[in-house]
Amino acid sequence: MRKLPEHEERGVRYYMESQLRDPDDPVMLVQRVGVRRVAGRTHEMYDVRTAKGRWWVISDMMNLYSQEDFHSVDMAFTYHLGVNMILAERYRPEMPDEHREFIAGAWRRFERAVDAFNDADEAEAFQAVGVMCREALLSLVREKAGKEWLPEGADTPQLANFKAWAGLFAEGVSEGRLRSYLKAISDKTWDLAVWLQHHAEASPWDAELVIDATGHVLGAFSQAMIRYREGTPERCPSCGSYRIGDDGERAIEDGAEGWRSWRVCAGCGWQSARSFKVWN
């Protein structure tokens, strides 16, 4: 178990303070007691002691559980996973808020397809899920049909030609194996959605497959576009680690109250210069 970085401990402490909202119940101790990786997501588990009680805090999505109710961290973690599974059923596949907002229209249509799938009970209702998944994919085209995401000099196809647009997006924002992958999954997912729409014997398993494929395509393209726009991820200038994050604290400078912040590396402990922002 690696040592708990100072900024990580501070983040858990601030989270607890924001949830308890009790100045008479300050955080006394934060200890990491485990790390679990389930279905590609890492969950950090903490034992947190306050003046009045003791809590388990589990990350991604971060939540707290009283140790009076959950006597072991394994019990709390099992419950935590259950809550996340329920949320994942509503917003599957899970996608960071930034990515959902980046393709807001397409993701909204995808959520409607998920809702329709959850309510469907007959073949024609599962077929309708295919139609809604197609609309979600076409909405991605309508939202991002700008030259920013296209290779230079590209001729733009009709908006209804999803495969052609997806190929151009892949050419514009990626290269190599990633480009080939984006083209392949977009072609196959569109074919699946069209197949489901016309499949008279459509079953829940068929619709679920198309739902998952559509969500994955939307997530993959939003991630690739954001990566293209933002450039190479930040790395620590000292050790080259990608584990760069924000740290900060309340502070007073020149008589003004505000927030002092800096960048920090969880790999080697490097810290950037401080900046200060006055609160209104």
Side-chain angles (χ1 to χ4, degrees):
M1 194 69 61
R2 66 181 188 268
K3 182 180 178 181
L4 183 64
E6 181 181 347
H7 76 283
E8 187 176 334
E9 186 271 344
R10 186 182 294 111
V12 176
R13 185 182 297 271
Y14 284 165
Y15 169 77
M16 286 295 300
E17 292 175 352
S18 70
Q19 298 302 303
L20 297 179
R21 298 178 181 273
D22 185 354
D24 296 325
D25 191 20
V27 175
M28 310 299 291
L29 179 67
V30 177
Q31 292 180 307
R32 188 200 288 118
V33 294
V35 180
R36 302 281 181 83
R37 188 166 180 82
V38 179
R41 298 178 62 181
T42 300
H43 303 271
E44 306 273 0
M45 299 181 290
Y46 307 91
D47 179 3
V48 181
R49 304 184 189 186
T50 69
K52 297 181 180 180
R54 195 165 175 176
W55 304 80
W56 303 119
V57 174
I58 304 176
S59 69
D60 196 23
M61 301 167 46
M62 186 168 281
N63 208 349
L64 75 166
Y65 305 92
S66 170
Q67 293 190 22
E68 292 184 0
D69 299 325
F70 297 90
H71 301 300
S72 71
V73 70
D74 288 333
M75 183 187 300
F77 183 64
T78 300
Y79 181 83
H80 184 76
L81 284 182
V83 172
N84 280 331
M85 288 179 64
I86 292 173
L87 293 175
E89 183 67 21
R90 177 63 181 84
Y91 297 107
R92 61 178 179 170
E94 285 231 19
M95 187 188 297
D97 290 342
E98 178 189 11
H99 293 188
R100 287 203 298 268
E101 293 169 1
F102 183 74
I103 54 168
W107 193 257
R108 186 169 57 251
R109 286 171 172 78
F110 173 68
E111 288 180 327
R112 292 173 184 166
V114 173
D115 290 339
F117 168 74
N118 289 335
D119 293 336
D121 56 5
E122 298 293 348
E124 55 269 25
F126 295 121
Q127 287 180 272
V129 171
V131 177
M132 300 177 78
C133 285
R134 287 182 58 192
E135 281 301 312
L137 294 171
L138 288 173
S139 182
L140 173 67
V141 171
R142 291 191 290 269
E143 283 187 71
K144 302 303 176 186
K147 294 183 178 180
E148 177 183 3
W149 313 112
L150 304 180
E152 187 174 354
D155 293 328
T156 55
Q158 294 181 338
L159 288 176
N161 192 342
F162 172 76
K163 287 187 177 182
W165 276 101
L168 289 177
F169 290 153
E171 291 281 346
V173 303
S174 61
E175 58 186 17
R177 291 184 181 275
L178 177 58
R179 176 183 293 170
S180 299
Y181 177 73
L182 290 174
K183 288 183 176 181
I185 62 172
S186 57
D187 280 1
K188 296 300 183 183
T189 299
W190 179 262
D191 289 343
L192 274 175
V194 173
W195 164 78
L196 179 62
Q197 176 185 354
H198 298 288
H199 183 35
E201 303 299 323
S203 70
W205 295 276
D206 299 327
E208 185 168 18
L209 176 65
V210 175
I211 283 282
D212 288 343
T214 302
H216 180 63
V217 167
L218 295 178
F221 272 94
S222 65
Q223 186 172 10
M225 288 174 169
I226 291 174
R227 175 185 175 187
Y228 173 77
R229 183 184 63 186
E230 296 182 351
T232 304
E234 182 182 5
R235 303 184 71 173
C236 174
S238 176
C239 70
S241 173
Y242 286 112
R243 295 167 58 198
I244 297 290
D246 293 309
D247 199 0
E249 60 188 2
R250 303 180 185 90
I252 297 177
E253 292 189 10
D254 299 327
E257 186 176 9
W259 185 257
R260 183 185 295 128
S261 62
W262 58 92
R263 302 288 283 165
V264 60
C265 174
C268 69
W270 168 87
Q271 296 183 2
S272 70
R274 268 62 168 165
S275 63
F276 181 76
K277 184 176 181 179
V278 176
W279 287 334
N280 292 331

